[in-house]
Amino acid sequence: MLDLIAQRRGTLGPAERRVADWVLEHPRRAARMRLAELAAASGSSEPTVIRFCRRFGLRGFRDFAPRMTEALSRPATYVHHHVQPDDAPVDAATKVVDASIQALFAIRAQVASMPVQAVVDALARARQIVFAGLGASGHVAADASHKFFRLGLPCTALTDSPSILQYAAIAEPGDVFLVTSHSGRWAELARAAATAGERGACTVALTEPGTPLADAARFLLPCHAPEDTNVYTPMSSRLAQLALLDALQVALALAMGDAAVDRLRRSKDALQRG
Amino acid sequence: MLDLIAQRRGTLGPAERRVADWVLEHPRRAARMRLAELAAASGSSEPTVIRFCRRFGLRGFRDFAPRMTEALSRPATYVHHHVQPDDAPVDAATKVVDASIQALFAIRAQVASMPVQAVVDALARARQIVFAGLGASGHVAADASHKFFRLGLPCTALTDSPSILQYAAIAEPGDVFLVTSHSGRWAELARAAATAGERGACTVALTEPGTPLADAARFLLPCHAPEDTNVYTPMSSRLAQLALLDALQVALALAMGDAAVDRLRRSKDALQRG
DNA sequence: GTCCAGCATGTAGGAAAATTACAGAAATAT
DNA sequence: ATATTTCTGTAATTTTCCTACATGCTGGAC
């Protein structure tokens, strides 16, 4: 959380930046403060603080305090080790796994402030669920489709731009359109989400907060994972997305009750025979 | 905090005791609830809940949620929490992520004793790399192929039995055949690995130790992840497999030297333009 | 140089949640 | 049996947060 604030500090306007600076300098105090207090202390106004919170994927200032206390009480033991060119294969491998663990910790800390309940409700009522993603995120989408399908829900995975845009154009109310992206910067994904949303579908973005895609979707599951810049593929963030979708599926299964659990058990038993 | 509540539970009156019991039974949900919600859920009233909080040295209900989240995010609570039917969606989601973190910890501990060096050597010299997997592991294979492909190596992913068996029959020395499976019990996968091995290919299994597939392959990357038996899909183990393949790719990139790193950078830059 | 569009910021009013005041019920002691 | 103390719930009060709208600023077009 604090990392994220520090990182995105530069993209903020002057007033919001004052808030960011104050929070970064007095994180523990900020966690215990009221909205009006923080606004006064940082020399800005209440709506500015709220907008500041929203920019980081929070629903409002109500989620700020819990989120901060969680971030502050998180064990800081797992410091990120960058992979060095002269690392032995085993050491490099260990560091990569460490980075993944780190990413999951980050996700864990954020889960509490995500609109999980709202998304689960939408999924439970969905006429169909459409997962979309390009490149590596396409694999995430395919995996998710394969996973939610076992709950007995109509699922599809779309992994190329034409299909995604075509679907968005024919989306209907009752559909849930879940778009996955590491960077959130592909224009066509944001456009597809916007279109589907206008047509009445429930759009969910699984991506970095503050990006076009994140803004275009109705619900945002923020997925910010600190990547090792020496590694040129978004690995840990993809892992975080998968873990989050796993979590979503389990939450959905619980919400759907016995019928869903029964379907899962049956689909598992079907494999056991093989 | 929770210990304190449990300890002082006996000294409370009936109504406040109902609150204490409810909080002890659903600590994570309690941390996220409103005053009115907690009062209703515990079968008491709002002032009773406030008095309950004051009894533990808190100024009021406003301090309750932060205290709880702090208590719950302590390292001790990371250890094993099974998902329960009456968990709130957010709590279930957190538990699933916890399970994934645990799986990665388990993998991390095992990495040191894996034949990473040997596998990396084989991959670096490979004429082509073939990833194979069925069902959920098929997605892992596809993802791996997509990832190693960026190193400039000839890669394929096979995700159905006929293709896998056909490939095994025409495998050649210089090929690396990497088979992924959660259970390791699909007979055709073990057979394919054996066949490919006989034909001189280097076979690598990414699966549970002690299974037919593990025995049939030349190298074994053990991937045993403790699954929550209440969850009927192998989620954390699949995550562990992905993390391990990520690690392998990075290790391989390092072993291949500047050329590989350059290819990764180029493939990343190609996306940036989009 | 002037005007307009778009964005960032702040003001004020309204909604929601937590807290307090008070009164009734239960339990115990006299 | 009654009085007193303790406990509990209803209703009003206050605090806190959020939203709608107005204002001022920056940057680009004509």
Side-chain angles (χ1 to χ4, degrees), chain A residues 7-26:
Chain A
Q7 184 189 324
R8 293 185 55 81
R9 177 185 173 280
T11 71
L12 272 48
E16 290 185 26
R17 187 176 300 181
R18 285 198 298 276
V19 178
D21 289 343
W22 203 96
V23 170
L24 288 173
E25 200 164 348
H26 317 278

Side-chain angles (χ1 to χ4, degrees), chain B residues 228-248:
Chain B
D228 186 332
T229 50
N230 289 349
V231 175
Y232 292 95
T233 44
M235 303 187 307
S236 0
S237 66
R238 181 212 46 181
L239 222 59
Q241 291 170 350
L242 284 165
L244 205 48
L245 285 167
D246 285 345
L248 215 56

